[in-house]
């Protein structure tokens, strides 16, 4: 069970993710000494103080609860596996992967978890593309008519579209229509990862209008509030960079793209940077290393000018 004491620890984790200092968070609300006392002891904290701290982080109790359920609850391991697979963050994932395998074997009806296990195995080279497509297609045929209208179906369809956009079973347009009928409250984690996957599929698709892309981006930004951590902020920067590209706003595009790259360097390290390099080349026609070098040098020069 997620207790109120754990909620305070979750708030601290989100503070760190948002890179907000304790002094800035606590200013005119509570002393930093009291903040750490509440964090490290069993002293109860007043709800009005907790609410003010949440508000300063632009959160509400729903954000804290959802974060706690998906990352701190007893069954959070499977959600962590889904989240890590979605963001291609595979360092130290093996124990989480094995736990997800056990859950999937014990709960064969959880086809979404099964799909993410297949996705992980494909992306890490355990499965070939042909076998992966065959397995995902089998999951689609396994769904009941009722399931085809749920977030479960959305996740499975996206798994197929990501590797085989031109298939005989589902189109991006149909997936977008299905998404519009869903409620984030039914499964926030799967809903959130799905909207990001849709945006990735939209990038570079000339059939998608700027209006449609912007509407989905707005939805993603709303959903991101429930998972305000570095991984989600990283992709939000990327999606906004692409929007500025569509609007021919070069400076804004570069700034958001640089922010995305900095997040990616911190999150992925060398292990998954090839994914970022290819993404920049494909969607922005940019050389990652040249872009980072030139942009960083400009920022250093600008800082020097400001100092003098």
């Amino acid at each position: 069970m997620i207790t109120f004491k754990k909620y305070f620890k979750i708030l601290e984790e989100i503070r760190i993710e948002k890179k907000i200092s304790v002094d800035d968070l606590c200013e005119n609300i509570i002393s930093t000494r009291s903040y750490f006392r509440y964090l490290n002891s069993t002293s109860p904290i007043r709800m009005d103080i907790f609410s003010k701290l949440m508000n300063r982080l632009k959160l509400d109790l729903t954000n804290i609860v959802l974060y706690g359920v998906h990352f701190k609850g007893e069954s959070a391991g499977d959600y962590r596996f889904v989240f890590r697979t979605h963001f291609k963050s595979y360092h130290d994932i093996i124990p989480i992967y094995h736990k997800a395998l056990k859950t999937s074997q014990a709960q064969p009806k959880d086809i979404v978890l099964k799909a993410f296990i297949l996705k992980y195995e494909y992306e890490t080279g355990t499965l070939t593309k042909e076998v992966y497509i065959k397995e995902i297609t089998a999951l689609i045929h396994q769904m009941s008519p009722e399931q085809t209208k749920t977030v479960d179906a959305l996740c499975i369809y996206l798994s197929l579209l990501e590797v085989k956009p031109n298939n005989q079973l589902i189109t991006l347009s149909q997936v977008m229509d299905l998404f519009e009928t869903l409620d984030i409250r039914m499964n926030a984690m799967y809903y959130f990862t799905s909207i990001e996957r849709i945006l990735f599929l939209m990038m570079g698709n000339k059939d998608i209008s700027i209006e449609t892309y912007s509407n989905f981006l707005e939805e993603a930004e709303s959903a991101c509030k429930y998972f305000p951590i570095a991984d989600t902020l990283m992709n939000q920067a990327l999606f906004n960079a692409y929007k500025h590209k569509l609007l021919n706003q070069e400076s804004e595009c570069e700034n958001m793209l640089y922010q995305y790259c900095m997040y990616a360097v911190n999150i992925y390290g060398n292990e998954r940077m090839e994914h970022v390099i290819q993404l920049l080349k494909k969607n922005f026609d940019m050389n990652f290393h040249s872009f980072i070098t030139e942009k960083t040098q400009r920022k250093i020069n600008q800082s020097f000018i400001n100092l003098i």
Side-chain angles (χ1 to χ4, degrees), residues 7 10-11 14 18 50 54-55 57-71 184 221-228:
Y7 288 150
I10 289 170
L11 182 135
I14 295 175
K18 285 177 169 283
F50 187 68
M54 285 194 299
N55 290 337
L57 289 174
K58 297 181 180 179
L59 303 171
D60 59 29
L61 192 55
T62 302
N63 306 136
I64 301 291
V65 170
L66 279 173
Y67 186 97
V69 167
H70 287 97
F71 295 102
I184 188 172
E221 289 174 334
S222 296
C224 180
K225 295 176 183 177
Y226 295 99
F227 304 100

Side-chain angles (χ1 to χ4, degrees), residues 31 74 94 106 148 166 177 186 197 246 261 284 303:
S31 70
E74 288 81 351
I94 297 300
T148 61
N166 300 315
D177 289 341
M186 298 306 294
R197 295 169 80 181
L246 294 178
C261 291
F284 298 89
S303 298

